[in-house]
Amino acid sequence: MSVATKTDKIQRLAELTATKETSTGASLWREAFRRLRHSKMAIIGAVIIAVFVVIAIIGPYVAPHSPTAQTWRGEVFPNRGEFVGPRAGNWFGLDHIGRDMFSRMLVGARQTLLVGVVSTLIGLSIGFLIGGLSGAAATLGGNAGRRVDSVIMRLIDMMLALPSLLLAVSVAAVMGQSLATVMIAVGVVQVPVFARLLRGSMLAQGGADYVLAAQSLGVRKRRIVLSQIVPNSLSPVIVQATLSLATAIIEAAALSYLGLGNPDPAVPEWGVMLAQAQRFFDNAPMMAVYPAVGIIVTALGFTLLGEAMREALDPKLRG
């Protein structure tokens, strides 16, 4: 995807919430929530996310076996291609060193959720600061502010020009193998998206009547930005954060698959489990299928909810 295409999509999302109120007088978010309640896509996404979060919270407490104990090591012989599939005591079978796959899936959900949430928060926080500074400079900073905005956006465009996974791999390779590295690497990838999105939303709000009225009354520019423009520019950022969680989970799994994740293979995490299973795919494909399905379904849930929120906030579809 080219930089221009990425930028256009981000700018479009920013413009979706430029109108603060609907023609009926209902608040933007109240109207959006009403539409979400009647959206099958939003309901399905919310249910998937709720199940995933519940599993991540209670998984370590309800797991029938220790996710790290090699209790059945004597029953699997990976060198001979002999594995144990699903059975009464092990619903998902055993992995290549005799650990219970079902327990590892339950416990691994927490690690997967942790990586997705933390990395998204990192990208959101840094992107918020950069985008807020750029948007404030462009909106109320005059000629000097527009020059600052131009410099910042050119740097952001350079980051957007790189494929997200390539950028994440580069950051992870420099920092070394660890769980924190994965979080930071995936978070860095999200920074330019959030920065440009907030900046675009602030530009859309900058010409609103309430901003012009505040300026005519002599309200300080800093107060206008912090108390008026920024709060009214957050809607598309919140939508993007939901979509970014899906992307973060997939990219974190990809980094783990490439060997850049948690260096302790005993710690269950779906991306690491998928990487470990690739060697035994011919004889035990389900070892890879379970974590792959978990990653895909979870990412699908966040994507469905995010897309439903995007549509609910689109003024062209409200009526």
Side-chain angles (χ1 to χ4, degrees):
M1 184 182 296
S2 65
V3 179
T5 304
K6 288 183 180 179
T7 303
D8 290 343
K9 291 181 67 176
I10 294 171
Q11 188 65 28
R12 173 58 183 154
L13 180 57
E15 293 172 350
L16 293 184
T17 52
T19 304
K20 187 178 180 181
E21 295 184 350
T22 66
S23 58
T24 60
S27 70
L28 176 67
W29 279 102
R30 183 178 301 173
E31 176 69 14
F33 182 70
R34 182 187 65 79
R35 298 185 61 202
L36 285 174
R37 288 186 302 173
H38 297 89
S39 170
K40 293 182 179 179
M41 184 166 62
I43 294 173
I44 294 173
V47 169
I48 293 174
I49 294 171
V51 171
F52 173 58
V53 171
V54 169
I55 292 175
I57 293 173
I58 70 173
Y61 305 105
V62 301
H65 306 286
S66 169
T68 59
Q70 303 176 24
T71 307
W72 298 273
R73 183 67 182 88
E75 298 184 33
V76 294
F77 302 94
N79 293 334
R80 301 204 301 255
E82 297 179 10
F83 295 87
V84 176
R87 61 185 184 183
N90 310 103
W91 292 355
F92 287 179
L94 306 176
D95 69 358
H96 61 292
I97 54 176
R99 297 174 296 193
D100 181 58
M101 282 291 295
F102 181 68
S103 299
R104 290 181 63 79
M105 284 294 296
L106 290 178
V107 178
R110 177 176 292 187
Q111 286 287 98
T112 302
L113 177 63
L114 178 65
V115 171
V117 170
V118 172
S119 59
T120 300
L121 288 176
I122 291 174
L124 177 60
S125 301
I126 300 176
F128 184 89
L129 292 175
I130 296 175
L133 174 62
S134 183
T139 304
L140 300 175
N143 292 331
R146 284 189 286 273
R147 285 194 291 269
V148 172
D149 170 64
S150 179
V151 172
I152 295 176
M153 285 301 103
R154 298 298 74 76
L155 295 175
I156 293 298
D157 287 343
M158 290 173 60
M159 295 181 68
L160 285 172
L162 294 174
S164 58
L165 184 57
L166 177 60
L167 179 59
V169 169
S170 301
V171 174
V174 170
M175 297 186 62
Q177 185 183 14
S178 71
L179 184 62
T181 292
V182 172
M183 296 177 182
I184 295 173
V186 176
V188 168
V189 171
Q190 308 289 349
V191 168
V193 176
F194 285 117
R196 189 168 261 289
L197 183 58
L198 179 60
R199 180 253 188 187
S201 184
M202 291 178 66
L203 289 180
Q205 293 289 339
D209 292 340
Y210 68 89
V211 175
L212 299 178
Q215 287 182 288
S216 65
L217 292 173
V219 180
R220 289 188 176 184
K221 293 181 179 180
R222 180 186 303 177
R223 184 175 179 183
I224 296 174
V225 170
L226 296 179
S227 64
Q228 299 294 330
I229 296 179
V230 170
N232 289 319
S233 303
L234 293 180
S235 298
V237 178
I238 295 174
V239 174
Q240 183 60 40
T242 305
L243 293 170
S244 294
L245 275 168
T247 305
I249 290 174
I250 294 174
E251 290 178 344
L255 292 179
S256 297
Y257 184 82
L258 295 174
L260 297 171
N262 194 334
D264 185 1
V267 177
E269 193 271 324
W270 291 352
V272 175
M273 292 171 64
L274 184 60
Q276 293 174 342
Q278 65 175 328
R279 294 177 295 162
F280 314 106
F281 189 80
D282 291 339
N283 297 307
M286 297 309 293
M287 283 179 55
V289 170
Y290 293 136
V293 169
I295 293 169
I296 292 171
V297 172
T298 302
L300 176 64
F302 284 110
T303 300
L304 289 176
L305 182 60
E307 289 295 339
M309 292 175 64
R310 189 202 301 268
E311 292 182 3
L313 290 166
D314 193 336
K316 292 183 178 181
L317 300 177
R318 295 198 301 266

